[in-house]
Amino acid sequence: MTPIGLDPVRYFDSDPAIRRIASELYAGVKELPILSPHGHTDPAWFAENEPFPDPAKLLIIPDHYIFRMLYSQGVSLEKLGINSLDGKFGEPDPEKVWGLFAENYYLFAGTPVANWFDHVLHEIFDIPEALNAKSGNSIYTAIDQALKTPEFLPRNILDRFKIEVIATTDDATHSLAHHQVIRDSDWKGRVIPTFRPDAVTNLAHSDWAQNIHVLGELVGYELTSFPKYISALEQRRAYFKSMGATATDHGVTSPYTNRLSRESANDMYQSALSGKLNPGDDHSFSAHMLMEMARMSTEDGLVMQIHPGVFRNHNSQVFHQYGTDKGADIPIQTEYTHNLYALLNEFGNDTRFNLIIFTLDETNYSRELAPLAGHYPALKLGPAWWFNDSIEGMTRFRQMTTETASIYNTVGFNDDTRALLSIPARHDLSRRVDSNYLAGLVATHRIEIATAREMSQALAYDLAKSAYNL
Amino acid sequence: MTPIGLDPVRYFDSDPAIRRIASELYAGVKELPILSPHGHTDPAWFAENEPFPDPAKLLIIPDHYIFRMLYSQGVSLEKLGINSLDGKFGEPDPEKVWGLFAENYYLFAGTPVANWFDHVLHEIFDIPEALNAKSGNSIYTAIDQALKTPEFLPRNILDRFKIEVIATTDDATHSLAHHQVIRDSDWKGRVIPTFRPDAVTNLAHSDWAQNIHVLGELVGYELTSFPKYISALEQRRAYFKSMGATATDHGVTSPYTNRLSRESANDMYQSALSGKLNPGDDHSFSAHMLMEMARMSTEDGLVMQIHPGVFRNHNSQVFHQYGTDKGADIPIQTEYTHNLYALLNEFGNDTRFNLIIFTLDETNYSRELAPLAGHYPALKLGPAWWFNDSIEGMTRFRQMTTETASIYNTVGFNDDTRALLSIPARHDLSRRVDSNYLAGLVATHRIEIATAREMSQALAYDLAKSAYNL
Amino acid sequence: MTPIGLDPVRYFDSDPAIRRIASELYAGVKELPILSPHGHTDPAWFAENEPFPDPAKLLIIPDHYIFRMLYSQGVSLEKLGINSLDGKFGEPDPEKVWGLFAENYYLFAGTPVANWFDHVLHEIFDIPEALNAKSGNSIYTAIDQALKTPEFLPRNILDRFKIEVIATTDDATHSLAHHQVIRDSDWKGRVIPTFRPDAVTNLAHSDWAQNIHVLGELVGYELTSFPKYISALEQRRAYFKSMGATATDHGVTSPYTNRLSRESANDMYQSALSGKLNPGDDHSFSAHMLMEMARMSTEDGLVMQIHPGVFRNHNSQVFHQYGTDKGADIPIQTEYTHNLYALLNEFGNDTRFNLIIFTLDETNYSRELAPLAGHYPALKLGPAWWFNDSIEGMTRFRQMTTETASIYNTVGFNDDTRALLSIPARHDLSRRVDSNYLAGLVATHRIEIATAREMSQALAYDLAKSAYNL
């Protein structure tokens, strides 16, 4: 048996001076409750509180971080248990899927997936053995048995890992029925929705007209004009807020912001409604809707998050056969200084407004985002996102933003995941990386240890709490 | 009392091998005279040699590095002692301003402001205590008293810190009267002007026509045509040179260079003079004027500096209420390979020409700037600029330029500051960072210690001396 | 005498934990045979197997890495032995050229040229002394004598340094006569061609029409239409393959890919043939030809390499006087996500297709390239290229690609050189840097030592072997 390599000082610098300080800082935050203000878990899990199915369905099949890598190495999505949209592949055999993953687990060496997955295996399922082709079967069995115990019911997982708040991400037209069930239950867990209106603000969304129709039904009047549409959105925000939401989230291709005249906005809206979207209108309308959303945020206090810069479903063959979220979302170059100009000029000095900006284009850390966040009162920086949510990626984020923006214009950690069990793993990794970063500052006499302790607490808990009004 | 954390080995790597070598290299350059070939101190200080006012007016109110951070955290500019353009806030209370800064000083942990400020407190004012809410008052008093002593008169500061040369930055239309007073005095300090013609070369500058009028008055003829305008600029350069200038500086949005026909240049000039600037003309004219300035440099030997890539006064609300330089200048993506093509093709092989290029867009270090500087004889790279003038920023500059351009195509350090007392602090930080960078090369057997000693001397003194013809 | 500073642990981290592991990993790969699947050596060397001329003609005059740096510091190309196109400078004096290089060798401190050159001096020529103005002459003599011995005949160099395969780069119209001579000889060395069709696919190439004519002669019919042109290219690929080629290479300004209609492609081709190239046609045609080349790769199995993003011959004065490859090729910003869309959508899921992408724009490592390579089965990443083929550059490549793409979507090392003797030096440096990178992962408990050993072997040998079908 190869033991799993989870050393207590893992991911800390090998220099003894830094490692010692990092260990001390990490010890101070390791057990803090987890705040998860941005993620994609399914609220149905916590509403229904049913046991999770088998290990493959829980840990492999829904996780595009995992299957994208195997796919890149020539393993078909079908063999990984991912059914095509027409359902022709039928039910996967979870043990075979797991076996294929175990065989290929070496591919993840040096990647965050391995960091998280080893944590899940060892710290959550108490498995002492490294995952590989040989150990795959027995580990499958161990996890499968564990999942049948009450300890692994969704609510118990939140409680056990001290996940104090967890936010889901929900379409503007979602009923939030699961959230209602949770609120009506006697369970004390805090699962809150996040208002994500992309499917009704992106005129180019394939179901936009249909979504507008649903939105109209929800508010009880037909959205025949732009003002009615705006007021419907305001109502939905109020509803989300009443259900616990503290934030909105906006996935846009470009963070372009620009105010349209009421007439132009209405014209574009009407054209889109009548199915005649003019080229470029979706871009202009998106820019205007970010302005509107910012305006609403100043009024209702919901924190505004912008997640721009992704070319979604880049692989059209995979998209047409398997649908969205199949590991083919690819970052693009993104610009912030000009694009956010209109929005920041109108709302950036408003102390009621809280804007959190993310990027997949790291070139913006030191060039545009840290300088913007180090000036505008309304603006803070979201953590290293998605492909950058990794040891090197998080370290670069701190190295390239702290000197200009300070850690106090950042918002702590987001796990941003649909993989429930990886939440404690991801927060643990983030706490380790931040502890190590701060330890480096202490060891090179840039900050005092006492200061580092305060910063450590801020990064692990306080900043998220205040930035997201939790 | 919390002692201030200024360890003698601060900012050196915690690895003992690197730290030992860095300490040795630093010891060899620590006491070298300071060359400050690019900065923004006020020549009136050295002409009049009056005591500085209180600590807040000296150290906080004029320093946008400091107040931008406090502003980003919700502190109003008014409370920081910054008066609005209409003067409605009246005289600030310096002790209150200082107190607010002291309370919020923790925000700067891990930023260069803290590195510099702690140096100023400890090395210049001999204050043994860390700045915080509790110590703020007593530190204020200590500094206030010190400022009243002859030791802190502006000329004595230059002498005391061995600032061998300091360059100011001066509009093309400036009389340089203060520089004349300094030259006429019996003080031996060397304060030299730098020719900065942006306000007469940028057609879109709000006072351009007025500036051209003043320029005409200075040279004694009306600048009714482009050739007259060019010859006025040549005269002013000659005047600056006669007053000690060795360099010019050009703050342009884009480093675009391109030669216009004489007719086009004159047409644009005439249009602008008559108040009818055509869209895009300022961009084309700026590109042409960089060519003209390079041509003049080949003739008069003034070193040409280009500082491009900033969106000035991004926050229009703050700009309209408080004016320029309020911490709202934000970098933008910048391109050099195509933009400098015309200029380098015409003058890049001319050994009489010295061009120093800066960037706020670090993506250019390894991609465009180091390859260009590693080829063209006329081109050298300015140091890590502005937001990148920091421990991590300077380290990245070396790591991303040395391998392709060598340190010998860079020009040593610029402090680029209007904060006089931070000059020794900034040079000290730069010497520490370069010592540490070189120590890393030695410790990994990339260079020999003897080579490192020579490089260290070059970086701390020789390169600036030769690049700026000092 | 100053001894040359080639410590056995050179280039490994100075932290003892990392250094120890790096040394161990390096020991495991140091002696592995060298695979050189992409480079620019001259096949005539191996066909004729004549002694190399003097040290300057072998090591200085043809090496733009070296003379570009000296030129940037004001040394004329003439003095470096580089003749102008009109031949007016006559034969250089090799000892003088060498002396000039020796005097200026300090400029290379901290650059990869010094890493490679010191390796060549010490490990290949057994010279114990550091190169400088003083030692220059005696080192010249020692090398000159060595070059006259059989040990330094080209074939013996390949054998001595265990260069198992070396690929040259050859125009589509090249006869490959030297390769034929090598194949016909009884020498066992494996020197294979690479199909590089730029000069016949780039409509803007100054000799395009002439090259098409030659291509027609080679296949025995006039290339009067686009389909005939395509079929000629297919024939040449088949010929290259029969001569041992396993790959093609495409040097394009932009990696833009896009399919044209047959009619459009033919129209552009005809226009260009008749000498009337329309603006933009070369860009569109290049995009289409990348699609065609990818299609052919799926059919004939040749691995496709794309090397984009260079502004060639940026210095037109140097270009007109001295020709191409004079150190004035400068990288430009490059985009991949949109540009490769068409190609990856048509061929990216095809398991018969192998595409290797390079970049000089490091911003793409983490933003675009690692995410693309971590998804598409056909795509792998070429190593840190050209200016980034350095200690820091290779380290950044690993740090910015591994976490998203894993090392298994990269292809090992390319030396990409025309400097034969630097091949062992460059592979040694790459093996050291990768050993050090992996050692860092082990020392921080990100991977186990056993895993590192496997990865080390993959990076030094296995990945190149499989990626290039060697």
Side-chain angles (χ1 to χ4, degrees):
Chain A
M1 181 190 112
T2 314
I4 207 163
L6 283 183
D7 197 285
V9 299
R10 66 188 177 274
Y11 318 144
F12 300 152
D13 204 287
S14 54
D15 179 86
I18 299 179
R19 182 173 281 178
R20 189 181 39 73
I21 302 165
S23 300
E24 184 201 322
L25 292 172
Y26 171 68
V29 296
K30 182 182 186 322
E31 302 293 345
L32 285 179
I34 286 173
L35 297 173
S36 176
H38 179 91
H40 304 285
T41 52
D42 186 345
W45 297 338
F46 311 111
E48 296 163 3
N49 205 31
E50 295 292 325
F52 284 107
D54 60 78
K57 279 220 200 70
L58 174 62
L59 297 170
I60 312 300
I61 298 171
D63 192 338
H64 57 74
Y65 284 83
I66 287 176
F67 62 70
R68 78 190 307 275
M69 179 72 83
L70 301 186
Y71 184 70
S72 79
Q73 288 281 312
V75 181
S76 73
L77 294 178
E78 179 194 349
K79 285 202 173 149
L80 289 163
I82 294 160
N83 213 333
S84 62
L85 293 175
D86 60 12
K88 74 173 173 197
F89 299 132
E91 268 302 281
D93 174 336
E95 287 188 68
K96 272 198 183 159
V97 169
W98 183 269
L100 201 52
F101 171 62
E103 263 171 50
N104 287 287
Y105 190 61
Y106 73 95
L107 293 173
F108 296 97
T111 78
V113 168
N115 305 147
W116 302 327
F117 213 88
D118 283 350
H119 184 107
V120 169
L121 292 178
H122 191 262
E123 308 282 320
I124 299 184
F125 291 106
D126 223 12
I127 287 162
E129 196 176 359
L131 181 66
N132 53 41
K134 251 168 77 180
S135 66
N137 274 350
S138 66
I139 292 178
Y140 181 92
T141 309
I143 295 177
D144 200 44
Q145 284 168 358
L147 291 180
K148 292 176 173 124
T149 63
E151 207 180 341
F152 283 90
L153 290 178
R155 292 181 180 179
N156 288 345
I157 288 170
L158 291 201
D159 294 343
R160 175 175 164 207
F161 294 106
K162 296 195 275 186
I163 300 174
E164 192 178 292
V165 187
I166 186 166
T168 62
T169 306
D170 311 272
D171 281 350
T173 52
H174 200 289
S175 69
L176 307 184
H178 299 303
H179 289 86
Q180 191 59 57
V181 170
I182 299 165
R183 293 167 74 89
D184 293 344
S185 77
D186 53 5
W187 178 54
K188 295 282 166 267
R190 188 169 168 205
V191 181
I192 62 178
T194 301
F195 183 75
R196 173 103 172 207
D198 301 349
V200 292
T201 56
N202 175 4
L203 298 185
H205 191 288
S206 54
D207 299 326
W208 182 78
Q210 169 60 15
N211 295 335
I212 294 300
H213 180 73
V214 174
L215 183 63
E217 290 196 326
L218 279 166
V219 294
Y221 46 87
E222 257 196 285
L223 306 184
T224 50
S225 69
F226 185 70
K228 285 182 180 164
Y229 162 75
I230 288 295
S231 109
L233 289 169
E234 288 169 340
Q235 269 180 265
R236 294 303 296 165
R237 290 173 63 111
Y239 175 64
F240 271 65
K241 199 175 160 184
S242 75
M243 295 294 287
T246 72
T248 72
D249 186 30
H250 307 272
V252 285
T253 306
S254 155
Y256 174 49
T257 62
N258 185 45
R259 190 165 276 294
L260 295 172
S261 69
R262 280 158 196 269
E263 294 70 37
S264 297
N266 194 46
D267 286 353
M268 287 181 194
Y269 180 77
Q270 301 289 358
S271 296
L273 262 193
S274 63
K276 289 174 229 143
L277 183 61
N278 298 308
D281 272 12
D282 55 330
H283 185 61
S284 304
F285 193 80
S286 164
H288 181 73
M289 288 309 297
L290 290 177
M291 299 296 284
E292 283 292 318
M293 289 292 151
R295 193 260 308 156
M296 293 179 202
S297 277
T298 63
E299 293 169 6
D300 63 20
L302 292 178
V303 174
M304 182 176 188
Q305 299 173 86
I306 302 183
H307 280 88
V310 192
F311 188 136
R312 300 271 173 189
N313 310 308
H314 190 273
N315 189 331
S316 52
Q317 214 170 299
V318 163
F319 175 59
H320 287 124
Q321 189 169 7
Y322 296 96
T324 60
D325 297 324
K326 292 299 169 289
D329 295 343
I330 309 293
I332 53 176
Q333 296 178 24
T334 308
E335 202 279 344
Y336 293 87
T337 303
H338 291 105
N339 279 325
L340 291 176
Y341 179 72
L343 192 147
L344 289 172
N345 267 272
E346 199 164 329
F347 304 107
N349 298 296
D350 190 326
T351 49
R352 298 168 306 170
F353 183 47
N354 291 295
L355 174 65
I356 301 174
I357 295 286
F358 295 79
T359 196
L360 291 169
D361 181 350
E362 299 183 292
T363 67
N364 291 297
Y365 287 162
S366 70
R367 184 182 55 214
E368 302 172 41
L369 291 177
L372 285 166
H375 168 70
Y376 282 102
L379 178 62
K380 294 206 169 25
L381 303 185
W385 176 34
W386 200 333
F387 298 111
N388 301 319
D389 179 11
S390 62
I391 295 175
E392 299 289 347
M394 290 189 277
T395 302
R396 285 197 298 269
F397 176 77
R398 291 283 166 227
Q399 286 171 338
M400 300 186 85
T401 63
T402 305
E403 294 182 320
T404 293
S406 126
I407 68 155
Y408 293 100
N409 283 308
T410 66
V411 304
F413 183 66
N414 283 185
D415 54 68
D416 190 28
T417 188
R418 64 197 74 225
L420 178 62
L421 291 178
S422 85
I423 292 177
R426 286 168 187 246
H427 284 263
D428 185 70
L429 185 62
S430 158
R431 289 170 181 187
R432 286 178 180 275
V433 171
D434 281 338
S435 297
N436 192 57
Y437 169 72
L438 294 171
L441 300 187
V442 174
T444 55
H445 300 285
R446 299 190 225 179
I447 60 175
E448 299 293 308
I449 181 72
T451 307
R453 277 189 213 107
E454 285 162 24
M455 292 168 83
S456 184
Q457 163 83 24
L459 291 171
Y461 185 84
D462 300 347
L463 288 171
K465 185 137 192 165
S466 73
Y468 285 91
N469 295 330
L470 296 174
Chain B
M1 181 191 111
T2 314
I4 207 164
L6 283 183
D7 197 285
V9 299
R10 65 187 177 275
Y11 318 144
F12 300 151
D13 205 288
S14 54
D15 180 86
I18 299 178
R19 182 173 281 178
R20 189 180 40 73
I21 302 165
S23 300
E24 184 199 322
L25 293 172
Y26 171 69
V29 297
K30 182 182 186 324
E31 301 295 345
L32 286 179
I34 286 172
L35 297 173
S36 175
H38 180 91
H40 304 283
T41 52
D42 186 345
W45 297 338
F46 311 110
E48 296 162 3
N49 206 32
E50 295 293 324
F52 285 106
D54 60 77
K57 280 219 200 71
L58 174 61
L59 298 170
I60 313 300
I61 298 172
D63 192 338
H64 57 74
Y65 284 83
I66 287 176
F67 61 70
R68 77 190 309 274
M69 180 71 83
L70 301 184
Y71 183 69
S72 79
Q73 288 281 312
V75 181
S76 73
L77 293 179
E78 179 195 348
K79 285 202 173 149
L80 288 164
I82 295 159
N83 212 333
S84 63
L85 292 175
D86 61 10
K88 74 173 173 197
F89 299 133
E91 268 302 282
D93 176 337
E95 288 188 67
K96 273 198 182 158
V97 169
W98 183 270
L100 201 53
F101 171 62
E103 264 171 48
N104 286 287
Y105 190 60
Y106 72 95
L107 292 172
F108 296 97
T111 79
V113 169
N115 304 147
W116 302 326
F117 213 89
D118 283 351
H119 184 106
V120 169
L121 292 178
H122 191 261
E123 308 281 322
I124 300 186
F125 290 105
D126 222 14
I127 287 163
E129 197 176 359
L131 181 66
N132 54 40
K134 252 168 76 181
S135 66
N137 274 350
S138 66
I139 292 178
Y140 180 92
T141 308
I143 295 177
D144 200 44
Q145 284 169 356
L147 290 180
K148 292 176 173 125
T149 64
E151 208 180 341
F152 284 90
L153 291 178
R155 292 181 181 179
N156 289 343
I157 287 170
L158 291 200
D159 294 343
R160 176 177 165 205
F161 294 106
K162 297 195 276 186
I163 300 175
E164 194 177 291
V165 188
I166 185 166
T168 62
T169 306
D170 312 271
D171 280 350
T173 52
H174 201 288
S175 70
L176 307 184
H178 298 303
H179 288 87
Q180 192 60 58
V181 170
I182 299 165
R183 293 167 75 90
D184 293 343
S185 77
D186 54 4
W187 178 54
K188 296 284 169 264
R190 189 169 168 205
V191 180
I192 62 177
T194 301
F195 182 74
R196 173 103 171 206
D198 301 349
V200 291
T201 55
N202 176 3
L203 299 184
H205 191 288
S206 54
D207 299 326
W208 182 77
Q210 169 60 17
N211 295 335
I212 294 300
H213 181 72
V214 174
L215 183 62
E217 290 196 327
L218 279 166
V219 293
Y221 46 88
E222 258 196 284
L223 307 183
T224 50
S225 70
F226 185 70
K228 285 182 180 165
Y229 161 76
I230 288 295
S231 109
L233 289 169
E234 287 169 340
Q235 270 181 264
R236 294 304 296 166
R237 290 173 63 113
Y239 176 63
F240 271 66
K241 198 174 161 185
S242 75
M243 295 295 288
T246 71
T248 72
D249 186 29
H250 307 272
V252 285
T253 306
S254 154
Y256 174 49
T257 62
N258 185 44
R259 191 166 275 294
L260 295 173
S261 68
R262 281 157 195 270
E263 295 68 37
S264 298
N266 193 46
D267 287 353
M268 287 181 194
Y269 180 76
Q270 301 289 359
S271 297
L273 263 193
S274 64
K276 287 174 227 140
L277 184 62
N278 299 308
D281 273 11
D282 54 330
H283 184 60
S284 303
F285 194 80
S286 163
H288 182 71
M289 288 309 297
L290 289 177
M291 300 295 285
E292 283 292 318
M293 289 290 151
R295 193 258 309 155
M296 294 179 203
S297 277
T298 63
E299 293 168 7
D300 64 19
L302 292 178
V303 174
M304 182 177 188
Q305 300 172 85
I306 303 182
H307 281 89
V310 193
F311 188 135
R312 300 271 172 188
N313 311 307
H314 191 273
N315 189 331
S316 52
Q317 214 169 298
V318 162
F319 175 60
H320 288 124
Q321 189 169 5
Y322 296 96
T324 59
D325 297 323
K326 292 300 168 287
D329 295 343
I330 309 293
I332 53 175
Q333 297 178 23
T334 307
E335 201 279 343
Y336 292 88
T337 303
H338 291 104
N339 279 325
L340 291 176
Y341 178 73
L343 192 147
L344 289 172
N345 267 271
E346 199 163 328
F347 304 107
N349 298 295
D350 191 324
T351 49
R352 298 168 305 170
F353 182 46
N354 291 295
L355 173 65
I356 302 175
I357 295 286
F358 295 79
T359 195
L360 291 168
D361 181 350
E362 299 183 292
T363 66
N364 291 298
Y365 286 162
S366 70
R367 184 182 54 213
E368 301 172 43
L369 292 177
L372 285 166
H375 168 70
Y376 281 102
L379 178 62
K380 294 207 169 25
L381 304 186
W385 177 34
W386 200 333
F387 298 111
N388 300 320
D389 180 11
S390 62
I391 295 175
E392 300 288 348
M394 290 189 278
T395 303
R396 285 196 297 269
F397 175 77
R398 291 284 167 227
Q399 287 171 337
M400 300 185 86
T401 62
T402 305
E403 295 183 320
T404 294
S406 126
I407 68 154
Y408 293 100
N409 283 307
T410 66
V411 304
F413 183 65
N414 283 184
D415 54 69
D416 190 28
T417 188
R418 63 197 76 225
L420 179 62
L421 292 177
S422 84
I423 291 177
R426 287 169 187 244
H427 284 263
D428 185 71
L429 186 62
S430 157
R431 289 169 181 187
R432 287 178 180 274
V433 171
D434 282 338
S435 297
N436 192 57
Y437 169 71
L438 294 171
L441 300 187
V442 175
T444 55
H445 300 285
R446 298 189 227 180
I447 59 175
E448 298 293 308
I449 180 71
T451 307
R453 276 190 214 106
E454 286 163 24
M455 293 167 84
S456 184
Q457 164 83 25
L459 291 171
Y461 185 83
D462 300 348
L463 288 172
K465 187 138 192 163
S466 73
Y468 285 91
N469 295 330
L470 296 174
Chain C
M1 180 190 113
T2 315
I4 207 164
L6 284 183
D7 198 284
V9 299
R10 65 188 177 276
Y11 318 143
F12 300 152
D13 204 287
S14 53
D15 180 88
I18 299 179
R19 182 173 282 178
R20 189 180 40 73
I21 301 165
S23 300
E24 184 200 323
L25 293 172
Y26 171 70
V29 296
K30 183 182 186 325
E31 301 294 345
L32 286 179
I34 286 173
L35 297 173
S36 175
H38 179 92
H40 304 285
T41 53
D42 186 345
W45 297 337
F46 312 110
E48 297 162 3
N49 205 32
E50 294 293 325
F52 285 106
D54 59 78
K57 278 217 201 73
L58 174 61
L59 298 170
I60 313 298
I61 298 171
D63 192 337
H64 58 73
Y65 284 84
I66 286 176
F67 62 70
R68 78 190 308 275
M69 179 72 83
L70 300 186
Y71 184 71
S72 79
Q73 287 282 311
V75 181
S76 73
L77 293 179
E78 179 195 348
K79 285 200 174 150
L80 289 163
I82 295 160
N83 213 333
S84 62
L85 292 175
D86 59 12
K88 74 174 172 195
F89 298 132
E91 266 303 280
D93 175 337
E95 287 187 68
K96 272 198 181 158
V97 169
W98 183 271
L100 201 53
F101 171 63
E103 263 171 50
N104 287 287
Y105 190 59
Y106 73 95
L107 293 172
F108 296 97
T111 78
V113 169
N115 304 146
W116 302 326
F117 214 89
D118 283 350
H119 184 107
V120 169
L121 292 178
H122 192 262
E123 308 281 321
I124 299 185
F125 291 106
D126 222 12
I127 288 163
E129 197 176 358
L131 180 66
N132 53 41
K134 251 167 77 182
S135 65
N137 274 348
S138 65
I139 292 178
Y140 180 92
T141 308
I143 295 177
D144 199 45
Q145 285 168 355
L147 291 180
K148 294 176 172 124
T149 63
E151 207 179 340
F152 284 90
L153 290 178
R155 291 181 181 179
N156 288 345
I157 288 171
L158 291 200
D159 293 343
R160 176 176 163 204
F161 294 106
K162 295 195 276 186
I163 301 174
E164 192 178 293
V165 187
I166 185 165
T168 61
T169 307
D170 312 271
D171 281 351
T173 52
H174 201 288
S175 70
L176 307 183
H178 298 303
H179 289 86
Q180 190 61 54
V181 170
I182 299 165
R183 294 166 75 90
D184 292 345
S185 77
D186 53 6
W187 178 53
K188 295 282 167 270
R190 187 168 168 206
V191 180
I192 61 177
T194 301
F195 183 75
R196 174 102 170 207
D198 301 349
V200 291
T201 56
N202 175 4
L203 299 185
H205 191 287
S206 54
D207 299 325
W208 183 76
Q210 169 60 15
N211 295 335
I212 295 300
H213 180 72
V214 174
L215 183 62
E217 291 196 326
L218 279 166
V219 294
Y221 46 87
E222 258 196 285
L223 307 184
T224 50
S225 70
F226 185 71
K228 284 182 182 164
Y229 162 76
I230 288 295
S231 109
L233 290 169
E234 288 169 340
Q235 269 180 266
R236 294 304 296 166
R237 291 172 63 112
Y239 175 64
F240 270 67
K241 197 174 163 186
S242 76
M243 295 294 287
T246 71
T248 72
D249 186 30
H250 306 272
V252 285
T253 305
S254 153
Y256 174 50
T257 61
N258 186 44
R259 191 166 274 294
L260 295 172
S261 69
R262 280 158 195 270
E263 293 69 34
S264 297
N266 193 46
D267 287 353
M268 287 180 194
Y269 179 76
Q270 301 289 358
S271 296
L273 262 193
S274 63
K276 289 175 229 142
L277 183 62
N278 299 308
D281 272 11
D282 55 330
H283 185 60
S284 303
F285 193 79
S286 164
H288 182 72
M289 288 309 297
L290 290 177
M291 299 295 285
E292 283 292 317
M293 289 291 151
R295 192 258 309 156
M296 293 179 203
S297 277
T298 62
E299 293 169 7
D300 64 20
L302 292 178
V303 174
M304 182 176 188
Q305 300 173 85
I306 303 181
H307 280 90
V310 192
F311 187 135
R312 300 271 173 187
N313 311 307
H314 190 273
N315 189 331
S316 52
Q317 213 169 298
V318 163
F319 174 60
H320 288 124
Q321 189 168 5
Y322 296 96
T324 59
D325 296 324
K326 292 299 169 288
D329 295 343
I330 309 294
I332 53 175
Q333 296 177 22
T334 307
E335 202 278 345
Y336 293 88
T337 303
H338 291 104
N339 279 324
L340 291 176
Y341 179 72
L343 193 147
L344 289 172
N345 268 270
E346 199 163 329
F347 304 107
N349 298 295
D350 191 324
T351 48
R352 297 169 306 171
F353 183 46
N354 290 296
L355 173 65
I356 302 174
I357 295 287
F358 295 80
T359 195
L360 291 168
D361 180 351
E362 299 184 292
T363 67
N364 290 298
Y365 287 162
S366 70
R367 184 184 54 215
E368 301 172 43
L369 291 178
L372 285 167
H375 168 70
Y376 281 102
L379 179 62
K380 295 206 167 26
L381 304 185
W385 177 33
W386 200 334
F387 299 111
N388 301 320
D389 179 12
S390 61
I391 296 175
E392 299 289 347
M394 289 189 279
T395 303
R396 286 196 298 270
F397 175 78
R398 290 285 166 227
Q399 287 171 337
M400 301 186 84
T401 62
T402 305
E403 295 182 320
T404 294
S406 126
I407 67 155
Y408 293 101
N409 283 307
T410 66
V411 305
F413 183 64
N414 284 185
D415 53 70
D416 191 27
T417 188
R418 63 196 74 225
L420 178 62
L421 291 178
S422 84
I423 292 177
R426 287 169 187 244
H427 284 264
D428 186 69
L429 186 62
S430 157
R431 289 169 181 187
R432 287 178 180 275
V433 171
D434 282 338
S435 296
N436 193 56
Y437 169 71
L438 294 171
L441 300 187
V442 175
T444 55
H445 301 284
R446 299 190 223 179
I447 59 175
E448 299 292 309
I449 181 71
T451 307
R453 276 190 215 106
E454 285 163 23
M455 292 167 84
S456 184
Q457 162 84 25
L459 291 171
Y461 186 83
D462 300 348
L463 289 172
K465 186 139 192 164
S466 73
Y468 285 91
N469 294 330
L470 296 174

